[in-house]
Amino acid sequence: MFKRSLIAAVIALPFLGSSASAEPPAVVVSIKPLHSLVASVMDGVAQPRLLVPGGASPHTYSLRPSDAKALNEANAIFMAGDGLEMFLEKPLNNLEGRVRVVAMAEAPGVTLLPVREGGVWDEHDHGHNHDHAHNHDHGHEHGHDHGHGHDHGHGDAHDHHHGAYDMHLWLDPANAKAFVATVSATLGELDPANAEAYARNAEATAARLDELDEKLRAELQPIAGRPFLVFHDAYQYFEQRYNLTAAGSVTVDPERRPGARRLSEIRQRITEGNVVCVFREPQFSPAVIETVAENTQAKVSVLDPVGAEIAEGPDMYFALLEGLSRNLRDCLAG
């Protein structure tokens, strides 16, 4: 578990009072969707470095020497938070006192959803009830350790989550807006000379996110009642935002192939739940998805929570969510 002083730490950096001629901060971001939002805020000032490349999964990634060098030279590191980028645990602990690390899960205004039990979920409300969501709308200064007491236990069956909350939190555009505000505030503190540019970019990005949200809501409404299965439980935020009817996931842990008993449960869910589509992910072998869908009425398609094949940059986040919408509609419609 990451040291709490690092999860959303604000550490006094020597250039906080630097002159307007100082270089912009060196910024590292863990995964592509977050990198896209940070890049949008930094547009025209500097470019952040991405750690996990397109075809890799944050669940299984191993740092390269160039990644370690970038972390050591960074002024700010943005990540999802404890439970997703486990490969960063040791490097970040070693960097204590030298860098500002911001976990988006700790950003003000972010809604966190609890990890769902198992992969073949029992009857649930498919996104109509947010009573169990945890909202970090506490008005504290951006980037601090907000002290909510997130004891991310490791004792449950959800090995790749490592905690109480689902960490695929970027798939809700409302959370993305909260990220953007935190990124702008953090970079404005580190780089006062460009604070106005960060704020201006953040405002434009937030408006663009509002437009995206409205567009997706209209596109996805017609398929809201059509059940589907996903490879692993990465899409809860998207489902809840747009009232989609996910019936379960094929695997609890994407790093482990499900056993025979679980595959039998999944096939039963497909048949009894009238599942229309089963979605695989490009980062993992499609064989298990083809196995569970074989000789059923379900079609097979692809969903990608991190945008493996989308070019990195400010537009990537928007292409990611539009792609999820398009693939869901293409498979579930009719």
Short mmCIF file of all heavy atoms in Angstrom, two decimals, residues 119-147:
data_model
loop_
_atom_site.label_atom_id
_atom_site.label_comp_id
_atom_site.label_asym_id
_atom_site.label_seq_id
_atom_site.Cartn_x
_atom_site.Cartn_y
_atom_site.Cartn_z
N GLY A 119 -17.94 -11.49 -10.05
CA GLY A 119 -18.00 -11.04 -11.43
C GLY A 119 -19.35 -11.29 -12.06
O GLY A 119 -19.78 -10.56 -12.94
N VAL A 120 -20.06 -12.34 -11.62
CA VAL A 120 -21.42 -12.58 -12.08
C VAL A 120 -22.32 -11.94 -11.03
O VAL A 120 -22.65 -12.54 -10.02
CB VAL A 120 -21.72 -14.09 -12.21
CG1 VAL A 120 -23.14 -14.30 -12.74
CG2 VAL A 120 -20.72 -14.73 -13.15
N TRP A 121 -22.71 -10.71 -11.28
CA TRP A 121 -23.39 -9.93 -10.25
C TRP A 121 -24.82 -10.40 -10.06
O TRP A 121 -25.49 -10.82 -10.99
CB TRP A 121 -23.37 -8.45 -10.62
CG TRP A 121 -21.99 -7.98 -10.92
CD1 TRP A 121 -20.88 -8.17 -10.14
CD2 TRP A 121 -21.54 -7.30 -12.09
NE1 TRP A 121 -19.78 -7.64 -10.75
CE2 TRP A 121 -20.15 -7.10 -11.95
CE3 TRP A 121 -22.16 -6.83 -13.24
CZ2 TRP A 121 -19.39 -6.45 -12.89
CZ3 TRP A 121 -21.41 -6.18 -14.19
CH2 TRP A 121 -20.04 -6.00 -14.02
N ASP A 122 -25.28 -10.28 -8.82
CA ASP A 122 -26.68 -10.55 -8.54
C ASP A 122 -27.52 -9.42 -9.12
O ASP A 122 -26.99 -8.44 -9.64
CB ASP A 122 -26.91 -10.65 -7.03
CG ASP A 122 -26.21 -11.86 -6.44
OD1 ASP A 122 -26.10 -12.87 -7.16
OD2 ASP A 122 -25.77 -11.78 -5.28
N GLU A 123 -28.84 -9.58 -9.01
CA GLU A 123 -29.71 -8.52 -9.50
C GLU A 123 -29.32 -7.20 -8.84
O GLU A 123 -29.13 -7.11 -7.63
CB GLU A 123 -31.17 -8.84 -9.17
CG GLU A 123 -31.74 -10.00 -9.96
CD GLU A 123 -31.73 -9.75 -11.47
OE1 GLU A 123 -32.04 -8.60 -11.86
OE2 GLU A 123 -31.42 -10.67 -12.23
N HIS A 124 -29.21 -6.17 -9.66
CA HIS A 124 -28.89 -4.85 -9.13
C HIS A 124 -29.62 -3.81 -9.96
O HIS A 124 -30.30 -4.13 -10.91
CB HIS A 124 -27.39 -4.62 -9.11
CG HIS A 124 -26.74 -4.73 -10.46
ND1 HIS A 124 -26.54 -5.93 -11.08
CD2 HIS A 124 -26.26 -3.79 -11.29
CE1 HIS A 124 -25.94 -5.73 -12.25
NE2 HIS A 124 -25.78 -4.44 -12.40
N ASP A 125 -29.44 -2.55 -9.58
CA ASP A 125 -30.28 -1.51 -10.17
C ASP A 125 -29.70 -0.90 -11.43
O ASP A 125 -30.20 0.09 -11.93
CB ASP A 125 -30.57 -0.41 -9.14
CG ASP A 125 -29.29 0.23 -8.61
OD1 ASP A 125 -28.22 0.02 -9.21
OD2 ASP A 125 -29.38 0.95 -7.61
N HIS A 126 -28.60 -1.44 -11.94
CA HIS A 126 -28.01 -1.01 -13.21
C HIS A 126 -27.80 0.49 -13.27
O HIS A 126 -28.09 1.13 -14.28
CB HIS A 126 -28.87 -1.46 -14.40
CG HIS A 126 -29.09 -2.93 -14.42
ND1 HIS A 126 -28.06 -3.84 -14.43
CD2 HIS A 126 -30.23 -3.66 -14.42
CE1 HIS A 126 -28.57 -5.07 -14.45
NE2 HIS A 126 -29.86 -4.97 -14.42
N GLY A 127 -27.34 1.04 -12.17
CA GLY A 127 -26.92 2.44 -12.23
C GLY A 127 -27.93 3.44 -11.78
O GLY A 127 -27.69 4.64 -11.85
N HIS A 128 -29.10 3.01 -11.29
CA HIS A 128 -30.10 3.98 -10.90
C HIS A 128 -29.97 4.44 -9.47
O HIS A 128 -30.70 5.30 -9.02
CB HIS A 128 -31.51 3.40 -11.12
CG HIS A 128 -31.75 3.03 -12.55
ND1 HIS A 128 -31.90 3.97 -13.54
CD2 HIS A 128 -31.84 1.82 -13.17
CE1 HIS A 128 -32.10 3.36 -14.70
NE2 HIS A 128 -32.06 2.06 -14.50
N ASN A 129 -29.06 3.84 -8.72
CA ASN A 129 -28.94 4.18 -7.31
C ASN A 129 -27.48 4.47 -6.99
O ASN A 129 -26.64 3.60 -7.07
CB ASN A 129 -29.43 3.01 -6.45
CG ASN A 129 -29.48 3.35 -4.98
OD1 ASN A 129 -28.79 4.25 -4.51
ND2 ASN A 129 -30.30 2.60 -4.25
N HIS A 130 -27.19 5.70 -6.60
CA HIS A 130 -25.83 6.09 -6.31
C HIS A 130 -25.60 6.23 -4.81
O HIS A 130 -24.65 6.86 -4.37
CB HIS A 130 -25.51 7.44 -6.99
CG HIS A 130 -25.42 7.32 -8.47
ND1 HIS A 130 -24.24 7.37 -9.15
CD2 HIS A 130 -26.37 7.14 -9.42
CE1 HIS A 130 -24.45 7.26 -10.46
NE2 HIS A 130 -25.73 7.11 -10.64
N ASP A 131 -26.47 5.62 -3.99
CA ASP A 131 -26.39 5.81 -2.56
C ASP A 131 -25.05 5.36 -1.98
O ASP A 131 -24.61 5.87 -0.97
CB ASP A 131 -27.52 5.04 -1.84
CG ASP A 131 -28.88 5.65 -2.10
OD1 ASP A 131 -28.91 6.79 -2.59
OD2 ASP A 131 -29.89 4.99 -1.81
N HIS A 132 -24.40 4.39 -2.63
CA HIS A 132 -23.17 3.86 -2.07
C HIS A 132 -21.93 4.55 -2.63
O HIS A 132 -20.82 4.19 -2.29
CB HIS A 132 -23.08 2.35 -2.33
CG HIS A 132 -24.19 1.59 -1.69
ND1 HIS A 132 -24.31 1.46 -0.32
CD2 HIS A 132 -25.26 0.93 -2.23
CE1 HIS A 132 -25.40 0.74 -0.04
NE2 HIS A 132 -25.97 0.41 -1.18
N ALA A 133 -22.14 5.53 -3.48
CA ALA A 133 -21.00 6.25 -4.03
C ALA A 133 -20.37 7.12 -2.95
O ALA A 133 -21.03 7.59 -2.04
CB ALA A 133 -21.45 7.11 -5.20
N HIS A 134 -19.08 7.35 -3.08
CA HIS A 134 -18.34 8.19 -2.15
C HIS A 134 -17.89 9.41 -2.92
O HIS A 134 -17.12 9.30 -3.86
CB HIS A 134 -17.14 7.42 -1.61
CG HIS A 134 -16.41 8.15 -0.51
ND1 HIS A 134 -16.46 7.75 0.79
CD2 HIS A 134 -15.64 9.27 -0.54
CE1 HIS A 134 -15.71 8.57 1.52
NE2 HIS A 134 -15.22 9.50 0.73
N ASN A 135 -18.35 10.58 -2.52
CA ASN A 135 -18.03 11.80 -3.26
C ASN A 135 -17.06 12.66 -2.47
O ASN A 135 -17.34 13.04 -1.35
CB ASN A 135 -19.32 12.59 -3.55
CG ASN A 135 -19.08 13.68 -4.58
OD1 ASN A 135 -18.25 14.56 -4.36
ND2 ASN A 135 -19.80 13.61 -5.68
N HIS A 136 -15.93 12.95 -3.09
CA HIS A 136 -14.90 13.76 -2.44
C HIS A 136 -15.16 15.23 -2.71
O HIS A 136 -14.32 15.94 -3.23
CB HIS A 136 -13.51 13.39 -2.99
CG HIS A 136 -13.02 12.09 -2.49
ND1 HIS A 136 -11.70 11.83 -2.25
CD2 HIS A 136 -13.68 10.96 -2.15
CE1 HIS A 136 -11.55 10.60 -1.81
NE2 HIS A 136 -12.74 10.06 -1.75
N ASP A 137 -16.34 15.72 -2.37
CA ASP A 137 -16.65 17.13 -2.59
C ASP A 137 -16.50 17.86 -1.27
O ASP A 137 -17.45 18.21 -0.60
CB ASP A 137 -18.09 17.27 -3.11
CG ASP A 137 -18.38 18.68 -3.57
OD1 ASP A 137 -17.42 19.45 -3.70
OD2 ASP A 137 -19.56 18.99 -3.79
N HIS A 138 -15.25 18.06 -0.88
CA HIS A 138 -14.99 18.55 0.47
C HIS A 138 -14.33 19.91 0.51
O HIS A 138 -14.06 20.43 1.58
CB HIS A 138 -14.11 17.55 1.22
CG HIS A 138 -13.08 16.93 0.35
ND1 HIS A 138 -12.06 17.63 -0.21
CD2 HIS A 138 -12.95 15.65 -0.10
CE1 HIS A 138 -11.32 16.82 -0.95
NE2 HIS A 138 -11.84 15.63 -0.90
N GLY A 139 -14.02 20.47 -0.66
CA GLY A 139 -13.55 21.83 -0.71
C GLY A 139 -12.17 22.07 -0.12
O GLY A 139 -11.80 23.20 0.14
N HIS A 140 -11.40 21.03 0.11
CA HIS A 140 -10.05 21.23 0.62
C HIS A 140 -9.14 21.69 -0.50
O HIS A 140 -9.45 21.59 -1.67
CB HIS A 140 -9.50 19.91 1.20
CG HIS A 140 -10.12 19.55 2.50
ND1 HIS A 140 -9.41 19.42 3.66
CD2 HIS A 140 -11.41 19.28 2.83
CE1 HIS A 140 -10.21 19.08 4.65
NE2 HIS A 140 -11.43 18.98 4.16
N GLU A 141 -7.98 22.16 -0.13
CA GLU A 141 -7.02 22.61 -1.11
C GLU A 141 -6.59 21.45 -1.99
O GLU A 141 -6.37 20.35 -1.50
CB GLU A 141 -5.81 23.20 -0.38
CG GLU A 141 -4.80 23.86 -1.33
CD GLU A 141 -3.70 24.52 -0.55
OE1 GLU A 141 -3.84 24.68 0.68
OE2 GLU A 141 -2.70 24.89 -1.17
N HIS A 142 -6.46 21.71 -3.26
CA HIS A 142 -6.12 20.65 -4.22
C HIS A 142 -4.78 20.03 -3.89
O HIS A 142 -3.81 20.70 -3.58
CB HIS A 142 -6.06 21.22 -5.65
CG HIS A 142 -7.37 21.68 -6.15
ND1 HIS A 142 -8.31 20.82 -6.65
CD2 HIS A 142 -7.93 22.91 -6.20
CE1 HIS A 142 -9.38 21.50 -7.02
NE2 HIS A 142 -9.17 22.76 -6.75
N GLY A 143 -4.75 18.68 -4.00
CA GLY A 143 -3.49 17.97 -3.91
C GLY A 143 -3.11 17.50 -2.52
O GLY A 143 -2.13 16.81 -2.36
N HIS A 144 -3.88 17.88 -1.50
CA HIS A 144 -3.53 17.45 -0.15
C HIS A 144 -4.08 16.06 0.14
O HIS A 144 -5.01 15.59 -0.49
CB HIS A 144 -4.08 18.44 0.88
CG HIS A 144 -3.32 19.72 0.94
ND1 HIS A 144 -2.30 19.93 1.82
CD2 HIS A 144 -3.43 20.86 0.21
CE1 HIS A 144 -1.82 21.14 1.66
NE2 HIS A 144 -2.48 21.72 0.69
N ASP A 145 -3.52 15.45 1.16
CA ASP A 145 -4.05 14.19 1.66
C ASP A 145 -5.30 14.53 2.47
O ASP A 145 -5.23 15.14 3.51
CB ASP A 145 -2.99 13.53 2.56
CG ASP A 145 -3.46 12.16 3.01
OD1 ASP A 145 -4.65 11.86 2.91
OD2 ASP A 145 -2.60 11.40 3.44
N HIS A 146 -6.46 14.12 1.96
CA HIS A 146 -7.71 14.60 2.52
C HIS A 146 -8.20 13.79 3.71
O HIS A 146 -9.25 14.10 4.26
CB HIS A 146 -8.79 14.62 1.44
CG HIS A 146 -8.38 15.47 0.28
ND1 HIS A 146 -8.22 16.82 0.37
CD2 HIS A 146 -8.09 15.16 -1.00
CE1 HIS A 146 -7.85 17.32 -0.79
NE2 HIS A 146 -7.76 16.33 -1.64
N GLY A 147 -7.50 12.74 4.06
CA GLY A 147 -7.78 12.07 5.31
C GLY A 147 -9.12 11.38 5.39
O GLY A 147 -9.75 11.38 6.44
#
